[in-house]
């Protein structure tokens, strides 16, 4: 096997598709800050894409009883969440006046319409939200229906507990794991990886809420959402409720 590069003429820009990537920002106003708004959200969508890739892999590895590989993938998503949290710090440099200079250009577009965010929540196990907002795009709607019907990451964790012989409730199973961590070390580590993931996800949600509050106060959000009130409600949702509940029972 030769040590030569397979594509010796491939440049950095070609490999990354930079011509398409850097041409994807198209502000609709003359506002200086609109480019910041676009790039923050585009970058977030790229990080979410990677999170979906990693969590899908982790789910499949858990189903195959390969927890070591799953741990690495889940831990990576927790670090991605750190990047997403910090992105709100950058967006928060935008003042209310800066935002309102281009807000009319957004029309009815809203982060609520992010199909990748919805897929991420479904993949983690929160399948309470509907997908009607995506009905106008049959391809995306069909894809989300498939993700909604498929086992989530947490579904596979619960199936793993059953394969390990835990016949009682999910609450009772996790309580046994936490009371006997040495005996069930890999399940204990899995649980803590999930708790860390949820902790960072909630930090991301909270940072989003506070950034929106800082910029638009309690006005109605774009796309008809309740803005801060809508984001506050999302903070009440837990992906892995039994793993939080077990802390009270230990």
């Amino acid at each position: 096997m030769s040590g030569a590069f397979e594509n010796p003429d491939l440049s950095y820009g070609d490999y990354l598709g930079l011509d398409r990537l850097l041409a994807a920002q198209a502000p609709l106003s003359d506002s200086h800050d609109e480019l910041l708004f676009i790039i923050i959200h585009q970058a977030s969508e790229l990080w979410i894409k990677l999170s979906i890739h990693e969590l899908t892999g982790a789910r499949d590895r858990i189903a195959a009883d390969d927890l070591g590989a799953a741990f690495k993938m889940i831990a990576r998503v927790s670090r991605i969440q750190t990047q997403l949290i910090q992105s709100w710090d950058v967006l928060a440099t935008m003042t209310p006046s800066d935002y309102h200079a281009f807000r009319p250009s957004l029309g009815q577009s809203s982060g609520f319409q992010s199909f990748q965010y919805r897929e991420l929540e479904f993949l983690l196990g929160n399948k309470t939200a509907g997908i009607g907002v995506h009905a106008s795009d049959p391809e995306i709607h069909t894809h989300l229906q498939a993700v909604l019907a498929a086992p989530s990451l947490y579904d596979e964790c619960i199936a793993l507990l059953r394969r390990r012989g835990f016949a009682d409730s999910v609450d009772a199973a996790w309580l046994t794991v936490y009371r006997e961590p040495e005996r069930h070390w890999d399940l204990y580590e899995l649980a803590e990886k999930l708790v860390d993931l949820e902790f960072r996800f909630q930090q991301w949600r909270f940072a989003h809420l506070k950034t929106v509050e800082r910029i638009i106060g309690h006005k109605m959000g774009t796309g008809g959402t309740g803005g801060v009130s809508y984001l506050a409600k999302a903070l009440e949702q837990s992906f892995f409720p039994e793993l939080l509940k077990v802390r009270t029972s230990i």
Side-chain angles (χ1 to χ4, degrees):
M1 185 176 188
S2 172
F5 293 113
E6 293 183 7
N7 299 299
D9 297 327
L10 183 67
S11 72
Y12 172 81
D14 290 341
Y15 177 68
L16 296 178
L18 289 183
D19 55 341
R20 301 184 302 278
L21 183 65
L22 298 179
Q25 297 76 47
L28 299 176
S29 74
D30 294 329
S31 169
H32 175 83
D33 289 81
E34 189 177 358
L35 183 62
L36 164 66
F37 188 84
I38 291 171
I39 288 177
I40 288 291
H41 288 84
Q42 287 182 340
S44 294
E45 290 291 337
L46 287 173
W47 282 124
I48 294 172
K49 180 177 182 178
L50 182 56
S51 295
I52 291 169
H53 173 71
E54 297 295 338
L55 291 174
T56 300
R59 180 195 62 189
D60 295 345
R61 296 327 304 159
I62 291 169
D65 291 299
D66 183 7
L67 295 192
F71 291 160
K72 179 179 179 181
M73 296 169 185
I74 295 172
R76 181 173 291 166
V77 176
S78 293
R79 299 306 175 269
I80 291 170
Q81 292 285 8
T82 299
Q83 297 295 320
L84 287 165
I85 293 164
Q86 290 176 341
S87 72
W88 293 119
D89 289 340
V90 181
L91 190 63
T93 63
M94 186 169 61
T95 68
S97 296
D98 295 333
Y99 177 62
H100 285 286
F102 66 85
R103 191 186 191 197
S105 300
L106 301 179
Q108 292 301 307
S109 63
S110 168
F112 176 74
Q113 299 160 351
S114 169
F115 73 89
Q116 284 203 128
Y117 180 80
R118 192 64 58 217
E119 180 175 357
L120 182 60
E121 288 215 322
F122 289 168
L123 185 55
L124 286 168
N126 179 17
K127 299 186 176 184
T128 59
I131 58 176
V133 69
H134 302 290
S136 60
D137 190 319
E139 184 177 352
I140 289 175
H141 192 262
T142 299
H143 175 69
L144 288 176
Q145 282 181 317
V147 177
L148 186 60
S152 69
L153 176 76
Y154 196 43
D155 288 335
E156 290 296 352
C157 291
I158 293 171
L160 175 63
L161 291 174
R162 295 194 185 100
R163 291 197 301 274
R164 293 289 183 90
F166 292 93
D168 297 326
S169 68
V170 176
D171 285 333
W174 286 126
L175 182 58
T176 299
V177 169
Y178 271 84
R179 282 179 171 168
E180 304 176 61
E182 294 83 3
R183 182 180 176 187
H184 308 288
W185 183 258
D186 60 345
L187 295 176
Y188 180 71
E189 187 173 358
L190 173 61
E192 285 298 290
K193 285 282 191 295
L194 295 178
V195 170
D196 186 53
L197 182 63
E198 170 145 338
F199 177 72
R200 292 174 190 272
F201 203 102
Q202 292 288 52
Q203 286 182 311
W204 179 31
R205 283 172 166 168
F206 182 74
H208 185 185
L209 181 155
K210 299 307 290 186
T211 302
V212 170
E213 183 180 53
R214 175 174 177 163
I215 295 174
I216 70 168
H218 289 262
K219 293 186 181 73
M220 182 74 70
T222 55
T225 66
V228 168
S229 63
Y230 170 79
L231 297 172
K233 188 174 182 180
L235 277 169
E236 300 172 2
Q237 300 170 347
S238 173
F239 296 112
F240 320 120
E242 293 86 0
L243 291 177
L244 300 179
K245 184 179 178 182
V246 73
R247 282 147 167 77
T248 304
S249 303
I250 296 174

